[in-house]
Amino acid sequence: TSRGHCVTNYHVIERETRIAVTLFHKDSKGGISRRRIDDIKIIAMNPFLDLALIQIPEQKDQPFKTVMLSESDDQKEGEEVFAIGNPLGLERSVSKGIISTRNRNREGLTFIQTTTQINPGNSGGPLFNARGEVVGVTNMKVLFGEGLGFAIPINYLKHFLNNADAFAFDKNNPNSGYRYLDAPARKSAATPKAQ
């Protein structure tokens, strides 16, 4: 947002209490300048959805550029999408693909499956449609597989943002956030005692 709110994956900042970000800006000569900011505030985290909300302090000399979230989650299979990020440390990389399926079930959640190349370093970055709207948050790929990337759909992201207070970060507990507990174990039938 214009106030510096930024979304990433929970697994990117998991167990951390101090985070830095790097911002890129066009300079007056048309080039790209790089700025590291260390005092990032963690706002909320949801390990189940693998989402986190952070806030970058206001940069008076350079207002934040914002992205638009897609109004709906009606993407179609075959629709073109783009991912940006730092795959394997290669900053400001863009990859292009299509939506393979919008409803891939995995570990109790539904993901967008895409042929867009997703690699370590893409995690937490946006998945854009052809209109430049964010339709998902990239978060994983199939190990040893090509063109098998996954993104968290926009409806999960909006739910997380609308309920960020429920997932508020507590600096005294870096793993705070909403967690699903295991169901209690079933009690075994009592065996009759010998007399």
Side-chain angles (χ1 to χ4, degrees):
T1 66
S2 57
R3 289 177 26 218
H5 290 101
C6 185
V7 169
T8 188
N9 287 139
Y10 169 81
H11 77 258
V12 171
I13 65 168
E14 183 178 3
R15 300 176 191 263
E16 300 294 338
T17 56
R18 293 183 310 176
I19 299 169
V21 299
T22 303
L23 297 180
F24 297 92
H25 295 286
K26 285 189 178 178
D27 59 27
S28 57
K29 298 176 185 174
I32 300 289
S33 64
R34 188 177 197 276
R35 178 185 302 179
R36 178 186 163 105
I37 302 169
D38 291 306
D39 47 346
I40 303 304
K41 182 177 178 183
I42 303 171
I43 305 295
M45 300 191 308
N46 184 326
F48 184 67
L49 293 179
D50 194 22
L51 291 171
L53 179 64
I54 60 177
Q55 187 172 18
I56 304 167
E58 182 183 1
Q59 306 295 299
K60 296 188 189 276
D61 61 331
Q62 193 69 258
F64 295 114
K65 304 278 186 187
T66 59
V67 293
M68 297 297 294
L69 302 182
S70 176
E71 287 292 322
S72 64
D73 62 345
D74 63 351
Q75 295 78 42
K76 295 180 176 46
E77 285 78 3
E79 187 174 318
E80 200 169 58
V81 286
F82 302 85
I84 62 171
N86 301 324
L88 306 176
L90 300 170
E91 296 177 333
R92 301 179 7 229
S93 294
V94 178
S95 57
K96 177 174 92 168
I98 62 166
I99 293 176
S100 299
T101 182
R102 12 178 336 249
N103 296 306
R104 180 65 67 199
N105 292 318
R106 190 176 171 93
E107 298 178 5
L109 294 173
T110 301
F111 293 91
I112 298 170
Q113 181 183 331
T114 177
T115 62
T116 307
Q117 292 298 315
I118 307 295
N119 291 290
N122 279 110
S123 291
L127 184 69
F128 292 105
N129 62 19
R131 295 182 297 280
E133 301 166 329
V134 177
V135 296
V137 179
T138 58
N139 76 320
M140 64 180 163
K141 68 173 275 184
V142 172
L143 199 59
F144 308 118
E146 296 300 323
L148 295 170
F150 297 90
I152 300 162
I154 193 71
N155 54 343
Y156 287 162
L157 173 59
K158 287 180 178 179
H159 174 76
F160 171 66
L161 294 174
N162 290 336
N163 297 285
D165 290 347
F167 309 108
F169 175 73
D170 176 0
K171 66 180 179 179
N172 297 317
N173 178 8
N175 289 318
S176 66
Y178 191 77
R179 286 187 290 271
Y180 285 87
L181 302 176
D182 291 332
R186 288 186 174 176
K187 294 181 181 179
S188 60
T191 53
K193 293 182 182 177
Q195 297 196 11

